[in-house]
Amino acid sequence: DGGITQSPKYLFRKEGQNVTLSCEQNLNHDAMYWYRQDPGQGLRLIYYSQIVNDFQKGDIAEGYSVSREKKESFPLTVTSAQKNPTAFYLCASSIDFQTKNIQYFGAGTRLSVL
Amino acid sequence: DAKTTQPPSMDCAEGRAANLPCNHSTISGNEYVYWYRQIHSQGPQYIIHGLKNNETNEMASLIITEDRKSSTLILPHATLRDTAVYYCIVKTGANNLFFGTGTRLTIIP
């Protein structure tokens, strides 16, 4: 099945620890995105990548880092600098970065702080 | 990107048509209207999009007013599985979607 796979589904972070969330897609899409969702809220863009080896900050990039070494993979690292990391994290992809393209989402990773 | 306004919640009886309104009075001529939905604790799912004309696909219909300042998403025969938060998004330019708080639609058996 084609789609976007996020792992793990649940993740716990200790104080001062960096954690990495995985996002893999087999849709052959060029563009990939990371969003954060807090309870009862909409989605906020963290980072996006238009193409391999390129990525741009979104609205709330502080405390996060990403890489895009392969077309199909766009991992997100939540660093210790992110003081309030508890949230639902969603990865998405689209064919490319043009206006009309639809974004397809993974099932999400729920991150909590121990 | 133009801002959108949606009612926070709506109920609809199972089997009836669910009509979800969205106001986007500041929309510009080249901005598309998109609808997504998010079932609890899952990723958002694309439903439909349109520019000027009404659109229909296997999931829903999108009715856009002639002045494009508002639109309505229609789920023709709502089922319990349609219970979700529905997001109306208007965007242009960069492909970043701005999800507000949407409309929480509850289908009543």
Side-chain angles (χ1 to χ4, degrees):
Chain A
D1 268 28
I4 300 176
T5 302
Q6 290 188 242
S7 62
K9 187 167 184 172
Y10 299 95
L11 186 60
F12 297 91
R13 192 190 91 166
K14 295 179 181 178
E15 292 286 344
Q17 186 183 40
N18 293 353
V19 292
T20 298
L21 285 61
S22 171
C23 178
E24 303 278 331
Q25 54 99 358
N26 61 4
L27 301 168
N28 200 33
H29 284 175
D30 280 328
M32 297 187 74
Y33 313 80
W34 274 106
Y35 293 89
R36 169 182 172 139
Q37 187 174 35
D38 292 285
Q41 302 298 313
L43 279 65
R44 291 184 290 168
L45 183 67
I46 305 173
Y47 268 98
Y48 63 95
S49 169
Q50 298 184 50
I51 202 164
V52 175
N53 293 322
D54 173 78
F55 50 83
Q56 307 292 330
K57 292 182 179 180
D59 300 322
I60 55 164
E62 186 174 350
Y64 300 97
S65 66
V66 294
S67 62
R68 186 85 188 277
E69 298 175 2
K70 298 186 296 182
K71 186 175 186 177
E72 58 270 23
S73 178
F74 191 40
L76 173 74
T77 296
V78 184
T79 75
S80 57
Q82 174 47 248
K83 298 306 179 187
N84 184 23
T86 297
F88 188 45
Y89 290 87
L90 288 157
C91 178
S93 71
S94 62
I95 295 174
D96 57 34
F97 205 66
Q98 299 306 308
T99 302
K100 292 187 288 183
N101 279 313
I102 309 307
Q103 291 189 19
Y104 297 89
F105 285 80
T109 292
R110 196 166 295 279
L111 175 62
S112 302
V113 176
L114 291 176
Chain B
D1 296 347
K3 290 186 68 173
T4 62
T5 304
Q6 299 178 252
S9 64
M10 293 181 63
D11 293 339
C12 178
E14 188 178 15
R16 303 297 293 270
N19 297 282
L20 292 91
C22 179
N23 286 325
H24 32 80
S25 57
T26 59
I27 194 171
S28 62
N30 59 346
E31 289 186 312
Y32 284 77
V33 180
Y34 291 73
W35 284 84
Y36 283 72
R37 73 180 182 184
Q38 186 175 23
I39 295 170
H40 183 62
S41 294
Q42 296 183 23
Q45 176 190 24
Y46 165 78
I47 301 173
I48 199 167
H49 74 285
L51 182 62
K52 295 181 181 178
N53 301 320
N54 298 336
E55 303 287 344
T56 295
N57 63 20
E58 65 278 4
M59 290 183 68
S61 295
L62 174 60
I63 309 298
I64 302 174
T65 58
E66 194 168 339
D67 64 6
R68 304 206 330 116
K69 294 183 185 299
S70 66
S71 60
T72 300
L73 178 75
I74 301 172
L75 308 178
H77 304 285
T79 71
L80 298 179
R81 287 178 293 182
D82 292 322
T83 292
V85 177
Y86 287 76
Y87 297 98
C88 170
I89 299 162
V90 176
K91 70 179 184 72
T92 185
N95 205 23
N96 305 329
L97 299 177
F98 177 74
F99 288 77
T101 52
T103 295
R104 183 171 299 278
L105 175 67
T106 302
I107 307 301
I108 311 294

